[in-house]
Amino acid sequence: MVTFHSEQDMINFGEKLASHLFPGSVLTLEGELGAGKTTFTKGIGRGLGISKVINSPTFTIVKVYQGRLPLYHFDAYRLEGQNEELGFEEMFEDEGVCVIEWPIFIQDILPQERLDIHIIKNEDETRSFLFEAHGEVYEEITKEMAL
Ligand SMILES: Nc1ncnc2c1ncn2[C@@H]1O[C@H](COP(=O)(O)OP(=O)(O)OP(=O)(O)O)[C@@H](O)[C@H]1O
Ligand SMILES: [Mg+2]
């Protein structure tokens, strides 16, 4: 578990994590509204060398950004489980890095190998992250970063 005291802390951490990512990486971000999923994704984007501003993709479900690797930023909130025939599986298998907010709404199509991150909004406004690695490459990343 890691605890962040500010938005900036969280962004810096996202930047560091991004340096361990590879083509086809999949990260899910679970946590309540305002937990910091999009904020953390901004850090990932910075680490991937994306200069465009990353903001909430709520109205588009997925936004694509070009960087060292492409970033596919998903927000499945509005899908509420209606995810058939949208072609997301192809994106998960693509060269890019997929970061998925509200993974619960597409849980039946998520790849087995992925890094699940649970974000907890604490009463004092700090945020704690819990990591759950599925697959050897992600276990390696959590080990390397001592998570
Ligand atoms: N320690 C902190 N770390 C990150 N964000 C913080 C922190 N303290 C306060 N915040 C605020 O919490 C909010 C997090 O918003 P963000 O859009 O990242 O959440 P989200 O999890 O993506 O929400 P949604 O489910 O609506 O997409 C921001 O307004 C940010 O300024
Ligand atoms: Mg968000």
Side-chain angles (χ1 to χ4, degrees):
M1 193 176 83
V2 189
T3 297
F4 302 103
H5 293 268
S6 68
E7 219 172 320
Q8 196 53 52
D9 267 7
M10 200 189 261
I11 291 173
N12 292 344
F13 176 78
E15 196 172 349
K16 193 171 141 210
L17 178 63
S19 69
H20 293 262
L21 299 177
F22 52 90
S25 304
V26 176
L27 309 181
T28 74
L29 306 179
E30 186 266 330
E32 63 181 285
L33 288 167
K37 302 180 289 297
T38 300
T39 304
F40 176 66
T41 307
K42 287 178 199 285
I44 298 275
R46 186 178 295 177
L48 293 175
I50 292 161
S51 48
K52 264 200 180 171
V53 176
I54 293 172
N55 48 32
S56 179
T58 301
F59 296 101
T60 45
I61 314 293
V62 57
K63 277 193 186 172
V64 184
Y65 300 88
Q66 297 307 324
R68 170 173 72 80
L69 295 170
L71 171 66
Y72 293 92
H73 182 201
F74 291 79
D75 188 328
Y77 190 72
R78 278 164 30 101
L79 287 177
E80 297 179 347
Q82 305 294 308
N83 56 48
E84 279 149 50
E85 313 288 332
L86 293 172
F88 294 155
E89 288 98 327
E90 280 133 65
M91 293 181 179
F92 301 152
E93 284 159 18
D94 200 75
E95 293 268 283
V97 167
C98 290
V99 174
I100 305 161
E101 299 189 32
W102 294 101
I104 185 147
F105 294 122
I106 53 170
Q107 59 186 344
D108 47 335
I109 59 167
L110 291 175
Q112 282 193 344
E113 302 230 335
R114 58 179 200 264
L115 180 61
D116 290 338
I117 302 178
H118 304 276
I119 306 179
I120 300 145
K121 193 173 162 184
N122 299 311
E123 274 175 18
D124 61 359
E125 283 300 307
T126 61
R127 304 293 196 274
S128 298
F129 279 30
L130 288 172
F131 299 87
E132 212 181 307
H134 300 274
E136 262 176 51
V137 273
Y138 298 102
E139 279 165 20
E140 200 54 44
I141 293 173
T142 53
K143 233 185 270 168
E144 279 169 15
M145 293 187 72
L147 299 172

